[in-house]
Amino acid sequence: QSGGRESQVGIGDSSSLAAGTASGDSLPLFLQQLHGHGIGQLMLCSRPAGGVRLSCRPVESVDGAAVSIRYTRDADVWLGVNPTNLKDRRGRGTVKDVAALVTLFADLDVKPDACRDLEHAHLVADALDELLSLKCTRLMSGNGLQLFVPLAQPLRIVDDATRADAVALSRRWGALVALVARDLGAGV
């Protein structure tokens, strides 16, 4: 039975970041918020601009990850938002590699059949903020916004049951984001 553990998962508060937006000097703070639980490893992934070969590697420190993201040129660079048990990898990890669910996330892309423009993406994010009575952390991506809602406590994944709980919670969050976006004329 997975319902008992899942019902105890609470949503944290992203408001400790200025205006709920992680950028510039607040990026290390945001990363620490996501990965300050001592669970698994922070993974930094990259792909040469226009390329297809993807590589991921563990990053030893939050500050190092922030510097890597800020100063990498001619490549797409991103972090895994939930800690993993991976040591090194050529491609993306899978759900089986996740050590804990520490945040819920969503991509609000600006493209056809998604958000019309960045203002539209912010409108969807604002509606989610109001619905949740908190401010989602927002990161600018290359194609729109990424939203993050940290959990009050990490959901450690130790077996198939806790993995199923994490997957179910992530799917419900995704369904909520899709419903709010659809009501505002956007897709996700």
Side-chain angles (χ1 to χ4, degrees), residues 31 38 40 58 60 73 87 98 102 124 134 138 146 166 169 176 181:
L31 297 175
E60 295 302 319
R73 301 285 182 244
K87 300 294 182 213
V98 177
V102 298
V124 173
L134 60 85
R138 302 171 192 196
Q146 293 178 333
L169 182 57
L176 176 64

Side-chain angles (χ1 to χ4, degrees), residues 2 6 39 64 67 79 137 144 164:
S2 61
E6 197 173 9
I39 304 168
V67 168
L79 288 169
T137 297

Side-chain angles (χ1 to χ4, degrees), residues 108-111 114-126 138-147:
L108 299 178
D109 289 333
V110 175
K111 63 183 183 182
C115 296
R116 290 184 302 275
D117 52 30
L118 199 51
E119 185 176 320
H120 195 201
H122 278 289
L123 185 66
V124 173
D126 291 343
R138 302 171 192 196
L139 285 178
M140 297 293 295
S141 72
N143 299 317
L145 287 180
Q146 293 178 333
L147 303 182

Side-chain angles (χ1 to χ4, degrees), residues 1-10 153-166 169 172:
Q1 294 205 19
S2 61
R5 282 182 305 278
E6 197 173 9
S7 63
Q8 296 175 4
V9 174
Q153 292 294 318
L155 175 55
R156 290 178 183 263
I157 299 172
V158 296
D159 55 24
D160 289 341
T162 51
R163 186 166 316 286
D165 287 348
L169 182 57
R172 284 198 310 275

